[in-house]
Amino acid sequence: MAIIVFTNALTLVNAVDLSNHCSKVTTTDERAEVDVSAMGSGFVQVTKGLGNAQIDLELLQDFAGGSVHATLSPLISSTTPIAVEVRPVNAARSATNPACLLGSALLFSYAGLDSQVGDAAKITATFKNAPGGSGMTYPTS
Amino acid sequence: MSEAKNTYRVLLPLQVDTREGGSFKQGDEFETAFTAEEEAANIANGLLEVLPSRWKVIGAQRVAETDPGDEFEAVLTLGQQQLLIDGGHIERVETPEPAAKARSRKKKEE
């Protein structure tokens, strides 16, 4: 398996391909640490609690119709779950190009403007697992 | 601007009555104006399935791995459709009624 340099990742938000505006993706798939230590434990005993699945995107803002703002702004007030998917390479899913998929996600944070003078207008968006969602999955097909 | 709507197939051996006055049995297909919540409930309990619809990408970004200007067929829930329509990404491609149906109606009229 080759090391990859991230140059052409795929970013899909509700099936809309925002790859050509996306500069950074971060996927998070974690479990809460629950302390179950009891008398007699020689060490802190930790087990897994609830999971947290989230995808953070950094995007170049674009207010053109059908672009970044038009895609994300309706989602912040919506409770309709949508799919958010990123892939290492903008190509079909495969064993070496698995998707990181939040099949049922809600947008919880949308920083529509977050730049200072002279900067490219980059924004961030945070998607988390929606009620009934199954967290992060990694389909290869 | 097109509105969010879907065509459904009845999956369970139950009769489905729509607001528009239609009655449909298992295997029947129909179009009706559910709310997103009604649709989600009917799909979750296994009563209905959404049939694929045809869409045209009208925005600047690719949608469902389809280039702007091209068409694709997909099952989209009402909520997903509305978000994509409101965002200026897609519009519904209205498919003409099949010729066979039109012929059978004509026969009846005769």
Side-chain angles (χ1 to χ4, degrees), chain A residues 15-17 20 66 71 75 87, chain B residues 61-65 84 87 89:
Chain A
V16 178
D17 188 341
N20 60 4
T71 305
L75 299 179
R87 294 179 210 161
Chain B
Q61 303 298 126
R62 283 164 57 82
V63 179
E65 304 193 14
L84 290 169
H89 295 291

Side-chain angles (χ1 to χ4, degrees), chain A residues 43-124:
Chain A
F43 288 86
V44 172
Q45 311 278 311
V46 184
T47 190
K48 291 181 178 179
L50 293 173
N52 175 45
Q54 119 180 20
I55 294 178
D56 297 280
L57 302 177
E58 186 178 275
L59 298 144
L60 293 157
Q61 182 59 291
D62 190 338
F63 293 100
S67 193
V68 176
H69 182 70
T71 305
L72 297 180
S73 59
L75 299 179
I76 194 67
S77 56
S78 168
T79 53
T80 299
I82 50 128
V84 180
E85 175 175 346
V86 295
R87 294 179 210 161
V89 178
N90 196 333
R93 294 177 189 170
S94 69
T96 55
N97 191 38
C100 298
L101 174 66
L102 266 181
S104 184
L106 293 173
L107 178 62
F108 281 90
S109 171
Y110 171 52
L113 285 172
D114 184 19
S115 305
Q116 55 185 25
V117 63
D119 287 351
K122 285 188 178 178
I123 60 108
T124 55

Side-chain angles (χ1 to χ4, degrees), chain B residues 58-100:
Chain B
I58 57 171
Q61 303 298 126
R62 283 164 57 82
V63 179
E65 304 193 14
T66 305
D67 289 328
D70 289 349
E71 296 179 5
F72 66 96
E73 198 168 87
V75 171
L76 298 174
T77 66
L78 290 174
Q80 291 166 342
Q81 280 178 38
Q82 199 61 62
L83 289 167
L84 290 169
I85 291 168
D86 290 349
H89 295 291
I90 61 170
E91 68 178 13
R92 178 182 293 276
V93 177
E94 299 293 348
T95 46
E97 208 170 314

Side-chain angles (χ1 to χ4, degrees), chain B:
Chain B
M1 185 181 277
S2 55
E3 283 180 13
K5 61 180 178 179
N6 263 327
T7 307
Y8 305 92
R9 180 184 290 130
V10 183
L11 295 179
L12 296 178
L14 297 168
Q15 182 171 306
V16 178
D17 296 315
T18 63
R19 290 193 191 91
E20 296 85 358
S23 282
F24 303 92
K25 293 182 176 159
Q26 190 173 27
D28 287 350
E29 295 173 7
F30 64 96
E31 191 175 287
T32 191
F34 283 129
T35 64
E37 292 75 21
E38 288 169 340
E39 182 191 76
N42 285 324
I43 293 168
N45 64 26
L47 177 62
L48 301 176
E49 70 172 342
V50 179
L51 298 177
S53 300
R54 192 140 195 92
W55 302 94
K56 182 177 184 181
V57 180
I58 57 171
Q61 303 298 126
R62 283 164 57 82
V63 179
E65 304 193 14
T66 305
D67 289 328
D70 289 349
E71 296 179 5
F72 66 96
E73 198 168 87
V75 171
L76 298 174
T77 66
L78 290 174
Q80 291 166 342
Q81 280 178 38
Q82 199 61 62
L83 289 167
L84 290 169
I85 291 168
D86 290 349
H89 295 291
I90 61 170
E91 68 178 13
R92 178 182 293 276
V93 177
E94 299 293 348
T95 46
E97 208 170 314
K101 273 191 180 174
R103 272 203 302 276
S104 67
R105 250 205 321 273
K106 210 174 181 184
K107 252 188 179 177
K108 275 183 189 171
E109 282 165 11
E110 286 164 5

